[in-house]
Every structure is written in structure tokens, then in C-alpha cells.
Amino acid sequence: MLSVLAFVAVFLGLSSCTSYEPKLPASKAKSLLKKELARVNASGYASIPIGYFECNDDETRYALRQLAACELITYSCERVQKPERVKKTRRVKRMSYWSSYYDTETYWVNDTVTAYFVTTALTEKGQKLVVDSIPEVEPTEDIKDLRLDKKNDLSVYPESKVDPVEFPGATSTPLEEEGMMEMPGGDEEVEYAESSEVSSSAVVDERSAYERAKANESIEQVNVKAYEVKVVKVRNIVVTRTPTITASAEAVMEYTDVTPFGRVIKKVYDGQRFLEKDLSFVYYQDKKWAVKDID
């Protein structure tokens, strides 16, 4: 009887070891996802044009006017006539030996079109949302182990003292050594006619209004804060045990701290939710559960 009981105990112990199945609770998955989002800097940013520039896109100018209404930028726009070759069509009557018919003919003419030049500047309110640079993605612990950012001081090694040029000056020519270069045409003398003096008041700017506006164009793309995201919940977790222990899930996400830049440019709003599908987790012997790297 004791032998039988001992056998049953050993069998149950082995069975419990072999049937161990690591689980991924929703709370653990949520914590892992939040940590991974912080690593990859999941905050949202937008880029806006600041300066004086041509902008013929109606939707872009509409967005800039909306940002001006939010008092984040100042905005003004001028219409400038631009000379341009324009393709037009006209209906013409064609004649043949037996009949006549109408056809569409394409032709080019010199015409003027309207170009729009916009002037924008950040207000004090908008300046507070500017970011000097978008934070880079922090490397994973596995990448940190490789110390890829380590700089080697090559000057401490004897091979660094060897000059890569074995015979210095062997291939240089006398002219090159003296810093001279022979120009085509030899010693030809060139005479320059003296230009007559012209008063500045007599100089006429023959450029078109569009060309003058284009010459003054100056634009800078500025990065600004748009929104933050938070994990509401991780759900529908499926654990797979072959060939490796992995899990798939989806996460309900929510936009928070949305700025007017996020509303106008990114079209997102505070409290708006979206579904992040195809999340992947993997179980490691040394690290336990971890999120597969999010690109």
C-alpha cells in the first residue's frame, strides 16, 4: 500500500510539472503593453509649416485657419497672379469629303492663374506646445546588452600609428605641390569692358508678382505635441504553446491630452478610442512574459 501511494504521488508530481502552463492575465498584459509604449514613445506629434510660403492646397489653408482660430498661430494669405501656360480644350467642326463632324481640340495659351502665399507664425500659446526634437525610441534590454553605442578609442592601438600613404608625395605633380593649377587657355589675357554706372533708381524689376513673392519664400517645419495614448484594457488573450509559448491579444486604446494640433491635423479627440489588433507576447525562461518589439 505504501509503495502504491508513493508511486501515485510521484506520478502526480511529474504530471503537474509536465502540464505546467504559464498564463497571461489581462492585468499583466496591460502592464507589459504600457511599458512597451513608453519605450517606443507612443506620444503623438504633428508638423506645421511656419513662415512665408506658397500654399495652393485648400485643405491645408483650411487647417491653418482653424489653428489660427485656436490662437496657436497667426495666419494671413495673399493672392498673387502667376503667368502660366494653360492647356485648354474647345469644340471644333471638322470637314470631310462627304460629311462634317465635331471634335474636341486641345491647345495651349498664355494665361494667369491665382497662387496663394501664406504667412504663419506661432503665438505664445502655440510656442508652449513646440518640441525641440521628437524623442528617439529607447533600445530594448537585449540591444543594450550588445553595447552598440560603445566607442572604441582606436588611438591606443599600435596599428593606428601607421600612415595609410606609404610613399607620401610620390604621385603629386610640381604644380600640385605648390598649390597651383594650370587653367585651360595658357597665359591668355582677357579684357573686361568697364560697365557703365547705372543709378539704382533706374533699375527696373521685371519679375512678375509671383516671381517676387516666390523669391521671398521662407518656410520651417515645426514639431508640436498632438496627443497621448493610454491602454484601457487588453482582451481576447489566446495562449499558444507550440512550437514556443506565445500569446496574441488586442488592446482598447484611448487618446488623451489631445491638443488643438491633434484635433485639427491628426483628427483625433479626447476620449476617442481605437482598437490595437494583433498584439504579440512571448514567454521566455529568463524574462517570463514580454511584448514582442513594437516597431
Side-chain angles (χ1 to χ4, degrees):
M1 179 63 69
L2 292 175
S3 299
V4 172
L5 292 175
F7 174 78
V8 171
V10 171
F11 177 78
L12 292 175
L14 291 174
S15 298
S16 63
C17 291
T18 55
S19 62
Y20 170 70
E21 298 178 353
K23 298 180 179 180
L24 179 59
S27 59
K28 178 64 175 178
K30 180 178 179 180
S31 175
L32 291 171
L33 181 57
K34 288 173 64 176
K35 183 179 178 181
E36 182 67 4
L37 292 176
R39 182 187 72 82
V40 300
N41 184 35
S43 300
Y45 301 93
S47 178
I48 60 168
I50 296 298
Y52 177 75
F53 53 93
E54 182 178 2
C55 182
N56 296 318
D57 183 73
D58 293 338
E59 290 187 6
T60 301
R61 296 200 311 276
Y62 175 55
L64 292 174
R65 298 201 312 273
Q66 288 181 307
L67 293 176
C70 295
E71 299 180 347
L72 296 179
I73 65 170
T74 59
Y75 170 91
S76 64
C77 180
E78 61 177 320
R79 293 180 294 179
V80 178
Q81 294 303 307
K82 175 184 178 182
E84 194 172 80
R85 291 283 289 174
V86 178
K87 182 169 69 172
K88 294 187 176 183
T89 58
R90 59 189 172 194
R91 190 170 177 81
V92 294
K93 186 176 183 181
R94 307 289 188 189
M95 301 295 297
S96 66
Y97 288 107
W98 300 278
S99 63
S100 63
Y101 64 95
Y102 287 94
D103 190 15
T104 301
E105 180 182 76
T106 300
Y107 65 101
W108 292 85
V109 297
N110 292 325
D111 202 350
T112 57
V113 296
T114 301
Y116 299 86
F117 280 84
V118 168
T119 302
T120 59
L122 285 166
T123 63
E124 184 177 351
K125 182 179 176 181
Q127 190 67 45
K128 293 178 181 178
L129 297 175
V130 172
V131 292
D132 295 331
S133 61
I134 298 177
E136 296 182 358
V137 174
E138 183 181 345
T140 63
E141 293 299 324
D142 288 349
I143 296 297
K144 290 179 180 178
D145 289 342
L146 298 177
R147 297 199 303 177
L148 298 178
D149 58 343
K150 185 179 183 299
K151 303 299 182 182
N152 293 315
D153 183 8
L154 303 182
S155 63
V156 301
Y157 301 109
E159 63 267 26
S160 65
K161 308 298 189 296
V162 179
D163 194 328
V165 181
E166 188 172 8
F167 302 104
T171 58
S172 62
T173 62
L175 285 176
E176 290 173 344
E177 289 176 358
E178 296 176 13
M180 299 172 60
M181 183 176 293
E182 187 175 357
M183 300 298 292
D187 298 330
E188 245 182 58
E189 292 186 0
V190 181
E191 293 184 2
Y192 296 93
E194 294 184 3
S195 59
S196 58
E197 295 184 359
V198 181
S199 62
S200 59
S201 60
V203 177
V204 178
D205 190 349
E206 296 182 351
R207 296 177 300 175
S208 66
Y210 173 80
E211 291 171 331
R212 290 195 298 271
K214 199 68 176 175
N216 293 326
E217 194 173 35
S218 175
I219 184 173
E220 176 188 7
Q221 291 293 333
V222 178
N223 294 320
V224 290
K225 295 179 182 179
Y227 58 82
E228 300 287 343
V229 291
K230 74 174 183 179
V231 184
V232 177
K233 67 184 296 186
V234 178
R235 66 188 191 188
N236 299 336
I237 302 172
V238 178
V239 178
T240 305
R241 294 168 182 82
T242 55
T244 57
I245 302 175
T246 59
S248 62
E250 60 184 19
V252 178
M253 313 292 290
E254 184 176 304
Y255 292 109
T256 64
D257 299 327
V258 179
T259 70
F261 291 115
R263 296 196 306 268
V264 173
I265 300 176
K266 296 297 184 178
K267 308 300 182 186
V268 299
Y269 302 90
D270 267 314
Q272 179 182 342
R273 293 186 175 184
F274 63 96
L275 192 63
E276 190 69 45
K277 298 182 179 180
D278 302 324
L279 293 176
S280 297
F281 301 83
V282 62
Y283 185 84
Y284 298 104
Q285 289 295 331
D286 54 341
K287 298 194 243 354
K288 306 305 179 185
W289 284 107
V291 181
K292 283 191 176 181
D293 296 348
I294 297 177
D295 296 329

